Amino acid sequence: MAHDLLIGTYTQRLPHVDGHAEGVVAARFDGDRIDDATVAARVTNPSWVAAAPDGRAVYAVEETGPDGRVHAFARDDGGALTPLGSVSSGGADPAHLLVHPFGRFLLAGTYSGGSVSVWRLNADGSIGERTAFVQHEGRGPDDARQEGPHVHQLSVDPVTGDVVVVDLGLGQVRWYALSEEGALTLREDATVALGAAGPRHLVFHPDGRHALVVGELDDVLHVLRREGDRFTLVGGASTRAAVAAGEALPTGENTSAAVRLTEDGRTVLVSNRGDDTIAVFAFEASTSGLVMEAVVPAHGRTPRDLVLSPEGDRLLVACQDSDEVTVFAFDAGTRELRFLTSSEIPTPVCLLFV
């Protein structure tokens, strides 16, 4: 079955990437490859995109300058995007967006700014008043990468409804209560400290009892388990094949990026930039056990984001520095990934089915 796909990109040369796309890309995924790729919205460095639950509104960051922006678009039945305006992201280099599952609020996290903003969404999908702004303060143990707060991802706790903020710079995962009015209140007792791991992205297990966090600085997939009203760190495993095999690390730097979990919660997938691989883990919820099953070449350079198809039998990988999205067949029973195709997309970094 064919599906609509939105792809976030970089459009400018920056210290960490040679961006040369033209904006948000819209495409069709036919089950094997990506076709009909077009520029749907000309935004500068739209490195993260999000959509309303019904797909009728789309949002993109403008990751550039000392004060980034967040853009809103109406999406019609044909997939075309019509601008609905933009607002300041509240800090430098917005890195992530979250549409609350009920569709009433939009949240943004800024990487260099280290802040979180909440806006009320209007009925037409446009961005309304800002209802909350939180500025993180402090630093982590790594002087080079954790000199200040760096918000990297936002998600919603499926049990409590709290907003979960992953801050790479502080080395923390923080839980915030979100009120009916859109205010954020820190639940200090629920903060998880991961320090020099440099937590980047988190995914919740379907059981609501576990969360898995990938560390960008330590290349470890960390397992968190809910104990009462908070999470604690209970385990983890390296995302790199050499470490898992007890061998010497290959030369060159590696930074883990994205983490995805299959619908049944049995398999965890992590992208490695540098090694240019996809790590495949088995997860056993009854024991909180994590075991590396395989490490597969990404068939492209700098695999940034990954996403499973709605049917769960395909994995798409945004290979930022080789200008392509690679596609793998995925067998949920055996956890096998088999490379299928590669489609040319300029500087892809975020993948979203709508």
Side-chain angles (χ1 to χ4, degrees):
M1 180 182 293
H3 297 284
D4 290 337
L5 182 69
L6 290 175
I7 304 172
T9 68
Y10 280 111
T11 64
Q12 295 178 325
R13 176 173 289 183
L14 301 171
H16 66 287
V17 61
D18 179 15
H20 44 268
E22 298 180 56
V24 178
V25 173
R28 293 282 284 172
F29 177 65
D30 68 4
D32 289 314
R33 63 176 296 106
I34 295 169
D35 294 312
D36 303 325
T38 60
V39 180
R42 296 186 182 276
V43 178
T44 303
N45 300 322
S47 60
W48 195 266
V49 292
D54 62 3
R56 304 297 293 181
V58 170
Y59 306 93
V61 302
E62 181 178 333
E63 186 190 324
T64 184
D67 185 15
R69 299 196 69 77
V70 178
H71 295 259
F73 303 89
R75 180 173 174 272
D76 65 21
D77 292 337
L81 301 183
T82 301
L84 293 174
S86 67
V87 296
S88 166
S89 63
D93 303 323
H96 205 266
L97 292 173
L98 169 69
V99 180
H100 192 274
F102 296 153
R104 295 176 52 221
F105 297 105
L106 175 70
L107 297 91
T110 65
Y111 182 83
S112 298
S115 63
V116 180
S117 291
V118 183
W119 296 271
R120 194 180 306 279
L121 291 174
N122 298 320
D124 65 353
S126 61
I127 302 172
E129 65 172 331
R130 181 154 59 185
T131 60
F133 176 79
V134 174
Q135 178 64 60
H136 284 185
E137 303 287 350
R139 59 183 300 151
D142 187 313
D143 291 337
R145 295 295 311 280
Q146 296 179 305
E147 79 293 345
H150 297 310
V151 173
H152 217 307
Q153 190 214 25
L154 310 165
S155 59
V156 174
D157 186 316
V159 174
T160 66
D162 291 338
V163 172
V164 182
V165 180
V166 180
D167 192 314
L168 185 152
L170 299 184
Q172 295 180 350
V173 182
R174 293 182 171 184
W175 269 252
Y176 288 86
L178 178 68
S179 74
E180 289 290 323
E181 295 73 33
L184 291 175
T185 303
L186 177 64
R187 291 182 52 214
E188 301 212 19
D189 62 327
T191 295
V192 177
L194 294 175
R200 177 183 171 94
H201 275 202
L202 172 150
V203 63
F204 282 98
H205 192 273
D207 67 3
R209 185 169 171 248
H210 292 91
L212 296 111
V213 186
V214 65
E216 178 172 331
L217 304 185
D218 68 353
D219 297 319
V220 169
L221 181 61
H222 301 268
V223 180
L224 307 183
R225 185 171 63 210
R226 195 187 301 270
E227 305 287 354
D229 62 354
R230 60 172 295 169
F231 278 84
T232 58
L233 178 65
V234 295
S238 173
T239 66
R240 307 186 73 182
V243 175
E247 301 170 354
L249 283 174
T251 59
E253 183 181 358
N254 182 76
T255 52
S256 299
V259 56
R260 299 286 183 177
L261 193 60
T262 55
E263 188 174 356
D264 62 9
R266 296 180 59 249
T267 306
V268 194
L269 304 155
V270 177
S271 60
N272 283 308
R273 299 168 294 175
D275 292 352
D276 294 341
T277 59
I278 309 302
V280 183
F281 295 90
F283 182 72
E284 176 51 60
S286 63
T287 61
S288 305
L290 187 69
V291 177
M292 177 180 279
E293 293 284 317
V295 177
V296 179
H299 289 271
R301 288 189 291 116
T302 319
R304 179 81 175 254
D305 196 15
L306 347 137
V307 64
L308 287 159
S309 65
E311 292 81 12
D313 62 350
R314 296 290 187 269
L315 180 73
L316 281 65
V317 184
C319 296
Q320 172 186 289
D321 292 336
S322 54
D323 297 330
E324 60 192 317
V325 175
T326 55
V327 179
F328 296 78
F330 174 67
D331 186 316
T334 65
R335 299 188 177 89
E336 179 188 8
L337 282 176
R338 178 171 53 86
F339 175 70
L340 294 178
T341 61
S342 173
S343 299
E344 184 177 348
I345 301 291
T347 335
V349 291
C350 174
L351 302 170
L352 176 69
F353 281 107
V354 287

